[in-house]
Amino acid sequence: MEQSPSLEDCLKLLKGERDEQRLAGLLLVTKFCKGDDNAALRRVYNAVGIGFLDRLLRTGMGKGTISSSGDDNRDAYLQLSVTVLAAFCRVPEIASSEDMVLKIPLILEILSKQSGSHVVEECYEFLFLVSTSCEDGVSALYKSGGLRVLASQMSTLADGSHSQELAMKLVQLMLSTVSLDIINNEYSSELSMMVAVIAREFAVLHNALKFEALHLLSAILSSKYSAPVHDTLRIMSNDIWSTYVRVGIVAILQNRVAPAEKLQALILAESVISILGERWLLGQMNLPDAKDSVPADRCLLLVLESSRVEVAVLLNELAYLKYETSNNSSSNAEIISLKQRNLAIAFSLVEKTIKLISNVVEDEVNLLDENTLSKVISGLNETVGVVLEYLQDAKDHGQKKGDDLLASVRLIGSYLAETPLACREKVRELLEFMLSIEGQDEPSPFFSICFLLPMLCQITMEIEGCKILVSCGGQKAVVECLIKLIGPNGCMIEDKGCIFLACDTILNLLLKRDQIKFRLDESTSVHLLKALAYWTGTISVTALK
């Protein structure tokens, strides 16, 4: 009976003088050497030598020769060399060696020319193992045009395949290693192509890779440097990616997943809205091959409900950390800072929902039925009440400085701009306090007043509203805000509408001064007149230019 070849037999062949012997040895190795047997792989690697492996790879690429072989076996040599290299790289010290790092450009070249080939998966395995083994690996991957190659090839990979998973991990690795500012400026087009592919994976998959896709999309789209990618996505002729993202987010939010994953879905939703606008929340929910129909308002309702839950939980946790615990350590400050950043995302989504509802009602477009509209408004009312209670808690504890408090006033202001009479008694009770709130870096209240101006302008059209504002001294805050907006030391803000809202609010008070017994003190009047004179002079100069 004939005995099967042993590892020692393979090693003898690999150490042979002729290429044919070494090829035979490698072929035997691939049949019985297990991928997790690092000791055996190391012995084989040392026996065959990097020189022969390099020649074998280049021959397979058409850049060299093995013995007297012609082109007939080139594909087989390519398959064998890449398979063996990927196997060797399962040994960490081999993967991190300079010899393997130097092969990254060659493997990328193979990938760019071999889409659909059997060698593709081994190429991705090699790149992943080398890039994760050392910093030089991921640096070489990026500098060799890895992002460009991956962007062109990912769309050819099967959904949920091992190759697609490795490709996504390679992209994530480069994003976490190289400056996002540089990547976004140099590869905005490639990142946009990747978004389209990854969004499909996010929508159609129902395994762990779905969450990988979620995190990768968030990393690409929510970065502060992602403006070039946003601009490219806006002008893409095929916007199916946005439908894929909507479907994926709905799947995350409507199922039982970890709170951290739901937060990631909200971060992604906020990023997509910043690209496409609030109406993205209302749209197609069906994949091209889907059988079951999903209502177009499903995403809106789930995003709002999840945001409302986040707001309630985060405000409760922040109140406890700030007012109930005596822990003033740096770690506690870091926890508070993280929760404030998460709160900003949830607040932003609630504000965008307010804006969407306002536009839908104003345009009289039948995008929402009465039942959905009622659910949304009811939810918004409840959340505004929760935020007002948080502000009440801050007032009770003598706290009026903080970005979380300022963001709370902004949300309240957004809602009251549309429904100025909502929560009337609570707003009246807290109005003076809200007008005194300062951001963390503000020397005095300013933005809190700007956020409330739309509501103040509306309520002061009536005598009762004027009385409410004057009773808490709010008229002085509005005047001081206007002086800051138009005076020589004016605050630079994008929304010039604040100037006119402040002017209208003051005019409303002046027109009703007899009924409400209102007058500006002499000092305030002088400062306001000087600011108005300066502003009109500035406008005249600008107009002449």
Side-chain angles (χ1 to χ4, degrees):
M1 183 175 175
E2 188 177 347
Q3 281 189 326
S4 299
S6 66
L7 177 59
E8 297 303 325
D9 294 327
C10 291
L11 294 175
K12 288 179 182 179
L13 288 170
L14 292 170
K15 293 175 181 178
E17 295 181 359
R18 292 180 292 115
D19 287 342
E20 288 82 357
Q21 291 175 296
R22 295 175 180 178
L23 283 170
L26 281 179
L27 286 169
L28 287 175
V29 166
T30 60
K31 292 181 179 179
F32 72 85
C33 193
K34 293 182 180 179
D36 57 355
D37 190 348
N38 285 5
L41 286 170
R42 197 177 294 108
R43 291 184 66 191
V44 171
Y45 178 74
N46 291 332
V48 70
I50 191 62
F52 178 75
L53 290 172
D54 188 64
R55 282 197 296 124
L56 182 63
L57 178 63
R58 291 180 181 277
T59 299
M61 296 175 68
K63 297 185 176 185
T65 57
I66 289 288
S67 293
S68 59
S69 173
D71 292 342
D72 295 343
N73 295 321
R74 184 172 293 166
D75 289 343
Y77 290 156
L78 184 64
Q79 178 74 57
L80 177 62
S81 60
V82 176
T83 300
V84 169
L85 285 170
F88 285 147
C89 286
R90 293 183 187 126
V91 181
E93 55 263 39
I94 296 177
S96 61
S97 68
E98 183 182 3
D99 290 324
M100 293 304 165
V101 172
L102 290 174
K103 284 182 172 45
I104 285 178
L106 294 175
I107 298 299
L108 286 172
E109 183 180 338
I110 294 169
L111 262 185
S112 66
K113 299 176 179 178
Q114 298 286 330
S115 59
S117 166
H118 294 298
V119 78
V120 166
E121 185 169 333
E122 283 80 6
C123 285
Y124 281 111
E125 283 201 25
F126 174 89
L127 292 173
F128 179 73
L129 291 168
V130 176
S131 298
T132 54
S133 68
C134 61
E135 291 182 5
D136 289 343
V138 67
S139 177
L141 177 66
Y142 178 76
K143 291 178 180 178
S144 302
L147 274 174
R148 186 171 288 111
V149 173
L150 291 175
S152 65
Q153 296 300 311
M154 286 175 70
S155 61
T156 68
L157 303 176
D159 293 332
S161 64
H162 185 51
S163 295
Q164 189 72 270
E165 179 181 3
L166 291 175
M168 288 167 54
K169 287 182 176 179
L170 286 169
V171 175
Q172 182 73 66
L173 186 62
M174 284 185 277
L175 292 178
S176 62
T177 306
V178 184
S179 168
L180 289 175
D181 185 16
I182 295 173
I183 291 179
N184 277 281
N185 282 316
E186 293 184 356
Y187 293 102
S188 61
S189 178
E190 287 79 6
L191 288 174
S192 300
M193 292 167 60
M194 289 177 180
V195 165
V197 176
I198 299 166
R200 176 173 169 80
E201 302 300 297
F202 182 43
V204 303
L205 298 181
H206 301 286
N207 53 26
L209 194 54
K210 188 183 195 76
F211 297 102
E212 294 278 351
L214 167 62
H215 288 225
L216 189 47
L217 287 170
S218 292
I220 295 173
L221 298 180
S222 65
S223 163
K224 65 180 180 180
Y225 303 111
S226 60
V229 179
H230 289 191
D231 292 340
T232 305
L233 287 169
R234 286 190 190 100
I235 60 176
M236 283 180 67
S237 57
N238 186 353
D239 64 350
I240 187 65
W241 68 271
S242 66
T243 299
Y244 285 140
V245 173
R246 191 186 301 115
V247 171
I249 286 175
V250 165
I252 296 291
L253 296 182
Q254 70 182 0
N255 286 292
R256 292 184 177 180
V257 300
E261 304 298 349
K262 290 198 173 187
L263 179 60
Q264 280 295 315
L266 293 179
I267 291 172
L268 179 57
E270 203 271 341
S271 298
V272 177
I273 294 172
S274 69
I275 299 171
L276 300 176
E278 294 79 15
R279 292 206 179 187
W280 171 82
L281 287 165
L282 296 169
Q284 180 184 344
M285 282 300 306
N286 300 317
L287 298 174
D289 53 353
K291 296 179 181 178
D292 300 325
S293 177
V294 180
D297 60 12
R298 179 70 58 82
C299 185
L300 167 65
L301 292 173
L302 283 170
V303 167
L304 176 59
E305 183 58 28
S306 300
S307 300
R308 291 180 57 244
V309 170
E310 286 292 328
V311 167
V313 171
L314 288 167
L315 289 182
N316 185 57
E317 291 174 345
L318 281 169
Y320 175 78
L321 289 168
K322 291 170 69 173
Y323 311 132
E324 304 299 330
T325 180
S326 57
N327 184 359
N328 294 318
S329 65
S330 59
S331 61
N332 192 58
E334 289 174 7
I335 293 171
I336 290 175
S337 178
L338 175 61
K339 291 186 182 300
Q340 288 177 335
R341 290 197 298 272
N342 293 340
L343 180 65
I345 296 296
F347 271 178
S348 175
L349 287 168
V350 173
E351 288 183 61
K352 284 174 167 56
T353 302
I354 293 169
K355 185 176 178 181
L356 172 64
I357 298 304
S358 173
N359 291 338
V360 168
V361 173
E362 185 177 307
D363 296 345
E364 297 183 353
V365 179
N366 191 23
L367 292 176
L368 293 173
D369 59 40
E370 289 189 11
N371 184 45
T372 300
L373 197 58
S374 176
K375 285 181 182 177
V376 171
I377 292 174
S378 175
L380 291 173
N381 274 328
E382 185 177 327
T383 296
V384 167
V386 169
V387 176
L388 286 169
E389 287 301 323
Y390 182 69
L391 291 174
Q392 179 67 60
D393 205 8
K395 179 184 177 183
D396 294 343
H397 287 86
Q399 294 286 329
K400 65 175 185 177
K401 195 175 189 69
D403 291 339
D404 55 325
L405 299 179
L406 185 61
S408 298
V409 174
R410 173 172 170 158
L411 186 145
I412 297 297
S414 297
Y415 192 58
L416 294 178
E418 307 302 330
T419 56
L421 299 181
C423 309
R424 184 164 186 167
E425 291 305 315
K426 195 64 180 177
V427 170
R428 181 172 186 167
E429 182 182 343
L430 287 172
L431 183 57
E432 181 180 4
F433 174 69
M434 289 194 288
L435 290 170
S436 70
I437 285 176
E438 304 167 0
Q440 196 62 45
D441 299 323
E442 282 188 292
S444 60
F446 174 70
F447 284 107
S448 59
I449 304 166
C450 291
F451 296 151
L452 293 171
L453 281 175
M455 179 268 291
L456 295 177
C457 183
Q458 290 183 72
I459 66 169
T460 52
M461 294 175 71
E462 304 294 334
I463 292 177
E464 182 61 29
C466 292
K467 289 180 178 179
I468 291 173
L469 183 59
V470 171
S471 67
C472 69
Q475 79 282 359
K476 187 174 182 181
V478 175
V479 171
E480 289 175 352
C481 177
L482 180 58
I483 292 172
K484 290 177 182 178
L485 283 166
I486 64 176
N489 300 314
C491 299
M492 298 298 292
I493 63 171
E494 293 182 9
D495 184 11
K496 299 301 182 184
C498 285
I499 295 174
F500 302 106
L501 288 170
C503 288
D504 285 346
T505 302
I506 295 169
L507 280 174
N508 288 339
L509 292 171
L510 291 173
L511 289 170
K512 302 174 185 66
R513 60 183 180 276
D514 292 336
Q515 295 98 315
I516 60 175
K517 297 183 173 65
F518 161 74
R519 63 183 295 273
L520 287 174
D521 62 76
E522 186 175 334
S523 174
T524 302
S525 299
V526 169
H527 283 110
L528 177 56
L529 289 171
K530 286 182 178 179
L532 287 168
Y534 174 83
W535 183 48
T536 53
T538 304
I539 292 174
S540 299
V541 171
T542 305
L544 288 173
K545 290 180 180 179

